[in-house]
Amino acid sequence: MNTVGHSRSIKPARKRSSSSWLHTLGWALIIVLVVGLCGTAILRTRAEYREARAEYEQIEAEVKRLQRENERLREEIHALKNDPQVIERIAREELHMIRPDEMVLSFPPSRKK
């Protein structure tokens, strides 16, 4: 029997072939391309988000303005239905009504010199 210990065989370092470098370069280019496409998509999405946010804020301001206008109109309707002073003012100004004990005097339009 041979009592020599296990010998490890040392393999000489292999030179990388040019196809291995091309393979690595190909993967690097693919990664750069994917990162570039993702970056472009992110930038475009952020720009669209900013535009949508500005439009949302503009619409929100318009909604608040319309809500205030609606409240003002509700109050005006309530006054037109229930406030005797408002009803009388509208009757006099828009319908040209007078009370039974009043007299209307008409004057010709004044001539400016």
Side-chain angles (χ1 to χ4, degrees):
M1 252 198 187
N2 191 353
T3 59
V4 178
H6 295 290
S7 68
R8 293 185 180 165
S9 63
I10 299 176
K11 295 180 182 178
R14 287 183 11 187
K15 291 184 179 180
R16 286 191 161 199
S17 67
S18 62
S19 66
S20 174
W21 280 106
L22 288 175
H23 184 71
T24 304
L25 181 62
W27 277 109
L29 288 174
I30 289 172
I31 290 171
V32 167
L33 179 65
V34 168
V35 168
L37 289 173
C38 289
T40 302
I42 288 170
L43 291 176
R44 186 177 306 151
T45 302
R46 289 184 74 196
E48 290 172 359
Y49 170 78
R50 281 192 296 266
E51 290 174 11
R53 182 72 184 174
E55 183 179 354
Y56 171 81
E57 289 172 359
Q58 181 181 6
I59 291 170
E60 191 175 50
E62 179 69 9
V63 166
K64 288 179 182 180
R65 186 191 67 75
L66 290 171
Q67 287 172 336
R68 287 190 305 269
E69 177 70 9
N70 283 342
E71 183 58 32
R72 186 192 65 77
L73 291 171
R74 276 190 209 96
E75 290 171 1
E76 185 177 339
I77 290 168
H78 183 271
L80 289 169
K81 288 182 177 180
N82 302 308
D83 188 342
Q85 291 175 340
V86 173
I87 294 169
E88 182 177 349
R89 181 182 53 82
I90 296 298
R92 287 177 178 275
E93 291 175 4
E94 294 183 16
L95 302 176
H96 308 290
M97 297 178 78
I98 60 169
R99 292 181 181 227
D101 60 342
E102 294 178 334
M103 185 184 335
V104 176
L105 301 174
S106 296
F107 298 99
S110 64
R111 293 184 186 166
K112 294 184 180 180
K113 291 185 180 182

